[in-house]
Amino acid sequence: MAFSGTTVRYEARDHRAYITLNRPERLNAITAEMAREIAAAVEEANADDAVRVIVLQGEGRSFCSGYDLKVYAEEGLDHQGQVWDPIKDFRMMKSNTDHFFTLWRSAKPTIAKVQGHAVAGGSDIALSCDLVVMAEDARIGYMPARVWGCPTTAMWVYRLGAERAKRMLLTGDTIDGVQAKEWGLVIDAVPADELDDAVEALVDRMAGVPINQLVMQKMMINQAFDNMGLQSTQNMAILFDGITRHSPEGRWFVDFAQEHGFGAAVRWRDTGRFIPDGGGPIPDPADVAAMNGELDAEAAR
């Protein structure tokens, strides 16, 4: 049966498949449904003998802003109580991670086209592709490394090496496409108005290669990563992700989001404000208003 999705759109033509994340009103924020539909679309492309290359893209102004924190943080979906079952959480997050990683495990090569943002879980999705092409002004990073997350695909270290992966994950900072290319995180960064053409040129170059050649070259390279323990590293990352979301600090973040909204919680986290060990009191409305005033004043300068 042909692929049909509600959060992902699929199109195949000219020896290529286009998988489009399609929640632009939420900056293509991730839901469990989206994760499943990514995997189904990848399966569809691999089953189509006419497709040689898969392009993953996002509808609208952002590739993917990460998990939908309106649902998962502010509303608390899948966030367990004080007594939590780590294996139940592991099964859920491993399922999502495995769905993302069908892009890496796909027999046919995958290219992520990134505009706007590929952040938090969105960076997990982008870095699951074989190649990433970014707009120069797009941002990539994993801000939940500051609190409430661990990148479950573990691809930062495999793409950047230990020191630069630590630079990203010990700060939660984001970098633009230019720096991502300089660091070797992505294959190319181009002006935003040239992004489509740059990706199509790369696809054209690859689409002329027979499928069996593409598959064998990719399998050989991926095997080297498997030999370095990629799967066991991912298993640890998935467990740690569950712990970070249910630790005292993770619960503090959820309480913050439920009291003041996920936008305020994310703003507090991502702008580098202090997060207390063990959680502690939630900032009061005056603290949040002061933060917003400071940040708005900085933005107006």
Side-chain angles (χ1 to χ4, degrees):
M1 187 171 68
F3 172 84
S4 176
T6 60
T7 66
V8 168
R9 194 170 67 246
Y10 180 88
E11 179 185 5
R13 65 176 187 273
D14 301 327
H15 302 297
R16 62 205 76 191
Y18 296 90
I19 300 173
T20 305
L21 308 181
N22 194 29
R23 299 186 73 220
E25 73 286 355
R26 300 291 300 151
L27 300 180
N28 299 317
I30 301 163
T31 62
E33 182 180 24
M34 177 181 283
R36 291 191 296 269
E37 289 186 356
I38 289 171
V42 171
E43 182 178 5
E44 178 83 5
N46 276 273
D48 186 344
D49 290 339
V51 170
R52 294 188 177 184
V53 184
I54 301 168
V55 177
L56 180 69
Q57 56 193 0
E59 183 67 31
R61 60 191 179 92
S62 181
F63 172 79
C64 181
S65 60
Y67 277 88
D68 192 333
L69 296 191
K70 176 73 174 176
V71 174
Y72 290 105
E74 188 174 313
E75 298 176 8
L77 179 67
D78 292 328
H79 189 71
Q80 298 183 41
Q82 291 293 327
V83 178
W84 68 286
D85 182 342
I87 300 305
K88 179 180 178 182
D89 190 272
F90 178 84
R91 287 198 304 267
M92 176 192 71
M93 287 308 300
K94 188 172 192 309
S95 176
N96 286 355
T97 303
D98 288 347
H99 290 327
F100 301 159
F101 226 58
T102 59
L103 293 155
W104 181 266
R105 299 296 182 196
S106 163
K108 298 172 183 180
T110 57
I111 301 172
K113 180 170 68 177
V114 174
Q115 82 284 9
H117 309 84
V119 293
S123 67
D124 276 322
I125 294 175
L127 297 179
S128 294
C129 291
D130 299 311
L131 300 172
V132 182
V133 180
M134 290 182 67
E136 291 177 340
D137 61 355
R139 307 292 299 186
I140 189 168
Y142 193 85
M143 304 90 76
R146 297 189 64 82
V147 72
W148 216 64
C150 179
T152 60
T153 62
M155 290 304 288
W156 289 95
V157 66
Y158 287 96
R159 287 182 177 267
L160 284 179
E163 190 166 19
R164 283 176 170 162
K166 289 175 182 177
R167 169 64 182 84
M168 296 299 293
L169 297 181
L170 298 180
T171 64
D173 287 346
T174 65
I175 56 176
D176 64 18
V178 174
Q179 188 170 359
K181 180 183 178 182
E182 290 174 353
W183 279 12
L185 181 66
V186 304
I187 195 64
D188 205 1
V190 298
D193 61 358
E194 299 176 15
L195 182 60
D196 289 343
D197 289 343
V199 170
E200 289 304 314
L202 182 57
V203 173
D204 285 343
R205 184 65 178 159
M206 296 167 66
V209 179
I211 291 175
N212 61 4
Q213 286 292 118
L214 293 170
V215 170
M216 286 187 286
Q217 308 306 333
K218 177 173 175 174
M219 286 180 64
M220 179 270 294
I221 297 166
N222 281 11
Q223 185 61 53
F225 280 69
D226 288 338
N227 292 348
M228 288 188 279
L230 173 57
Q231 185 60 66
S232 58
T233 302
Q234 283 188 353
N235 286 341
M236 183 175 71
I238 294 165
L239 281 169
F240 282 178
D241 181 67
I243 293 170
T244 65
R245 287 181 286 104
H246 293 88
S247 68
E249 297 80 12
R251 294 182 184 281
W252 175 91
F253 180 79
V254 171
D255 290 344
F256 192 145
Q258 292 179 346
E259 185 167 334
H260 299 296
F262 79 93
V266 167
R267 214 174 191 199
W268 188 282
R269 177 192 70 188
D270 295 354
T271 54
R273 276 155 174 76
F274 187 73
I275 299 170
D277 291 329
I282 302 300
D284 60 30
D287 295 326
V288 174
M291 171 190 70
N292 289 332
E294 292 172 15
L295 295 175
D296 290 344
E298 289 175 10
R301 290 187 192 130

